[in-house]
Amino acid sequence: MLKVHNTLSRSKEEFKPLKGKAVGMYICGPTVQGPPHIGHARTYVAFDFIRRYLEWKGFKVKYVMNITDVHDDIISKSNELGIDWKELAEKNTKLFFKELDGLHVKKADSYPSVSGHIKEIIELVKKLEEKGIAYETDDGVYYNISKFPEYGKLSGIKIDKSKTGTRVETDKYDKENAQDFALWKKAREGEPSWDSPWGKGRPGWHIECSAMGGKHLGEQFDVHGGAVDLVFPHHENEIAQSEGASGKKPFVKYWLHSGFLNVEGEKMSKSLGNYIEVPELLEKYNPKVFRFFVAGLHYRSRIDFSEKAMEEAKAGLERFNRLIEALQEANGKDSGEMKKLVEKAKTGFEKAMDNDFDLPSAWAKLYDFVRDVNKLIAENKVGNKDSEIALKFMKELDKIFEVFSFEQKSGTLTEEEENLLEEREKARQEKDWAKADELRDKLAEKGIELTDSAEGTKWKKTE
Ligand code: AMP
Ligand code: ZN
């Protein structure tokens, strides 16, 4: 039975989607003011594993990630650069998709953007206003948190509503009214704006996810995630907005929050000079090594990126890839023991993952598997059948992680060897088996072993 840690209840709960096997999952996407950084990479890779594990278990996941393309940070950055906000946002959205692809993150089913959902956002704000939960001021429309008695239930933050003017630490855009937050901001000079019942303006930050989550997954859905910094105020405010408007509880059944990524023990920041963007990461490291690094740690723990950690991840991943190679080359005698080893590893793996995606324990089971299989191979107890059973299992795991390499390493051929191979291919096509065999022997003398299959001939250097 799968259990997930729900930030809302602060405990692990049995995972039971609202509608059978269908899972609606919404992950807060990036503010596209610049290229994605490795903190984004950690968050989106961690949720990629969670999504793929749910799919591995037979859930049908509808995965939605918003793109925040209207935001104070984008506006100020574009002013700084002297370009249009939209141009900046579009450029960085493209780059974000490219980098996620580079990180082998599976595509979302949709990537709604703020600028594409102004109508839905206005509708939601209007609804809150009609219900008396939101009010208009000179500079915008605000959410009145005293109208939502459960405010604070996600983050556990207590707000003393008896004192007016009590300052709570909210995001930097909610300046005017300490405890209430902006749903709509009236237009200011040099900022993008849209027509609305309150004159020209643009959305506040939090409202976008309530509007887009509602539109793409419904008023109530299963999983909402993001990194832990979003619990307050962003997700707290999403609950207030969505439940306030729909009157339906809960807006989201399971709130999942992943840990932050630090660099060499420090918070990543441009001023500290430890700010790493994904393009730079992928220039230096294989994306699969980064994925393996993230996969080895619990999604809820803070992780520390360093060269050493990446070296360790590389070495760990190599153990698995070496096992794959050894299995591909295994030519012992099948002992039939592999099936049991796979079953044991799979059961242990699934049990660990079912416990709130406990990746470190899950990988521990897989390391045991590597050790056991290596031993079998060393004892010459693995032939074609057993190696296939093991490889099938590793491929199944790779549907979740996408970290392993299954391409057979085979070195390079000299021109003469290439020609011999081509000649043999021709002979085979002409069904001249005697000649094909002769050429096979010739290549074998040169240390090249051939395997013929329906997909063609594979070769391998044995020396
Ligand atoms: P942002 O682009 O700042 O709006 O963030 C988009 C997502 O990335 C949110 O879920 C953030 O919580 C997450 N995020 C931002 N910085 C980091 C970091 N250093 N480590 C992990 N996640 C982060
Ligand atoms: Zn969000």
Side-chain angles (χ1 to χ4, degrees):
M1 178 181 61
L2 172 62
K3 284 188 161 186
V4 302
H5 182 272
N6 189 352
T7 309
L8 191 60
S9 65
R10 291 155 190 79
S11 63
K12 286 182 197 166
E13 296 175 19
E14 185 184 344
F15 186 71
K16 265 193 177 159
L18 297 164
K19 284 184 226 127
K21 283 286 195 186
V23 175
M25 187 164 175
Y26 185 103
I27 305 299
C28 286
T31 307
V32 282
Q33 54 180 312
H37 55 64
I38 59 173
H40 292 125
R42 191 271 157 112
T43 296
Y44 300 130
V45 167
F47 281 106
D48 187 43
F49 295 144
I50 291 178
R51 175 222 191 143
R52 289 178 188 235
Y53 182 67
L54 292 174
E55 290 173 343
W56 194 78
K57 285 189 74 84
F59 291 104
K60 277 212 78 64
V61 180
K62 182 169 177 196
Y63 198 81
V64 177
M65 184 186 288
N66 66 300
I67 301 288
T68 303
D69 62 349
V70 180
H71 191 282
D72 284 28
D73 290 350
I74 296 172
I75 296 165
S76 53
K77 189 76 183 280
S78 62
N79 286 340
E80 205 178 283
L81 296 170
I83 57 171
D84 185 49
W85 68 272
K86 200 155 179 68
E87 195 185 317
L88 180 72
E90 275 170 6
K91 183 178 119 194
N92 286 314
T93 304
K94 256 196 209 143
L95 189 58
F96 176 72
F97 291 146
K98 177 171 171 260
E99 298 306 318
L100 278 201
D101 233 31
L103 286 163
H104 299 262
V105 172
K106 197 170 165 184
K107 281 195 178 49
D109 294 290
S110 52
Y111 292 101
S113 68
V114 180
S115 63
H117 289 75
I118 299 292
K119 188 174 119 260
E120 288 81 358
I121 290 171
I122 290 174
E123 284 305 312
L124 191 55
V125 179
K126 247 167 65 187
K127 193 161 181 192
L128 288 166
E129 197 182 32
E130 280 158 21
K131 285 189 134 189
I133 301 173
Y135 59 92
E136 187 179 353
T137 68
D138 284 348
D139 69 342
V141 181
Y142 286 84
Y143 189 100
N144 184 347
I145 61 162
S146 65
K147 299 280 168 132
F148 190 69
E150 289 169 279
Y151 192 81
K153 68 177 170 182
L154 180 72
S155 58
I157 282 175
K158 298 253 184 305
I159 289 157
D160 187 352
K161 297 177 197 110
S162 61
K163 284 192 219 155
T164 47
T166 307
R167 287 202 79 86
V168 287
E169 207 182 317
T170 57
D171 68 297
K172 62 188 174 195
Y173 319 113
D174 306 333
K175 304 166 192 146
E176 304 302 330
N177 210 331
Q179 31 194 340
D180 296 346
F181 57 90
L183 298 167
W184 187 261
K185 298 175 176 198
K186 293 188 182 172
R188 286 191 218 149
E189 194 57 33
E191 293 192 351
S193 62
W194 288 264
D195 287 330
S196 82
W198 316 280
K200 280 197 171 292
R202 65 181 168 97
W205 171 30
H206 316 294
I207 194 73
E208 65 181 69
C209 290
S210 284
M212 297 193 265
K215 169 157 183 201
H216 294 271
L217 296 171
E219 282 178 330
Q220 294 178 288
F221 57 89
D222 303 291
V223 180
H224 195 326
V228 67
D229 61 319
L230 297 186
V231 175
F232 189 85
H234 187 53
H235 291 161
E236 191 72 66
N237 291 352
E238 279 188 39
I239 293 177
Q241 293 163 161
S242 296
E243 294 185 4
S246 73
K248 289 184 191 157
K249 290 173 213 291
F251 164 45
V252 168
K253 197 163 179 198
Y254 306 100
W255 286 92
L256 267 50
H257 290 100
S258 57
F260 241 49
L261 173 140
N262 284 350
V263 175
E264 315 236 358
E266 293 207 75
K267 200 170 168 199
M268 188 169 58
S269 82
K270 284 197 170 146
S271 58
L272 284 174
N274 64 356
Y275 188 91
I276 306 170
E277 292 176 345
V278 181
E280 187 190 338
L281 171 85
L282 296 185
E283 241 170 59
K284 204 160 165 197
Y285 299 103
N286 182 325
K288 294 193 168 181
V289 171
F290 182 79
R291 285 178 75 87
F292 189 80
F293 163 63
V294 175
L297 298 154
H298 201 289
Y299 78 96
R300 282 194 282 129
S301 34
R302 186 192 302 251
I303 68 175
D304 198 26
F305 180 88
S306 67
E307 222 156 278
K308 188 167 161 270
M310 291 298 279
E311 284 309 316
E312 281 166 12
K314 192 171 166 212
L317 182 55
E318 256 164 33
R319 286 190 58 189
F320 287 90
N321 284 334
R322 274 208 302 268
L323 177 74
I324 290 169
E325 265 175 56
L327 284 165
Q328 286 167 337
E329 287 165 12
N331 52 7
K333 200 167 169 306
D334 283 324
S335 62
E337 281 175 58
M338 192 64 84
K339 201 162 165 256
K340 266 182 277 159
L341 284 185
V342 165
E343 267 162 22
K344 190 176 111 193
K346 197 169 166 178
T347 309
F349 170 79
E350 197 165 355
K351 194 163 167 233
M353 288 296 281
D354 276 354
N355 179 18
D356 189 32
F357 317 103
D358 183 354
L359 289 157
S361 307
W363 281 99
K365 300 292 176 204
L366 301 180
Y367 275 108
D368 288 349
F369 177 71
V370 174
R371 187 199 55 213
D372 294 346
V373 175
N374 274 329
K375 191 162 162 272
L376 269 194
I377 295 174
E379 290 165 355
N380 268 325
K381 288 183 179 167
V382 181
N384 276 349
K385 250 202 188 127
D386 276 0
S387 75
E388 217 148 88
I389 292 172
L391 284 167
K392 189 168 159 251
F393 174 53
M394 310 268 302
K395 281 183 185 155
E396 210 185 308
L397 290 171
D398 214 40
K399 285 200 182 125
I400 305 169
F401 297 112
E402 213 167 312
V403 288
F404 301 140
S405 303
F406 292 95
E407 311 86 60
Q408 276 176 291
K409 279 220 185 81
S410 34
T412 49
L413 297 179
T414 64
E415 207 179 326
E416 189 201 355
E417 291 163 346
E418 293 257 42
N419 289 340
L420 287 172
L421 206 65
E422 255 181 52
E423 246 184 271
R424 181 168 179 275
E425 206 41 54
K426 227 173 107 203
R428 263 165 57 79
Q429 272 166 20
E430 289 163 7
K431 300 197 170 21
D432 185 350
W433 307 119
K435 189 165 179 206
D437 282 347
E438 192 189 306
L439 286 161
R440 172 196 284 277
D441 292 345
K442 244 189 191 164
L443 282 159
E445 271 168 36
K446 295 179 181 295
I448 295 161
E449 199 180 286
L450 304 179
T451 343
D452 295 321
S453 76
E455 288 100 57
T457 303
K458 278 198 190 136
W459 57 269
K460 189 168 75 190
K461 287 211 161 171
T462 51
E463 290 166 2

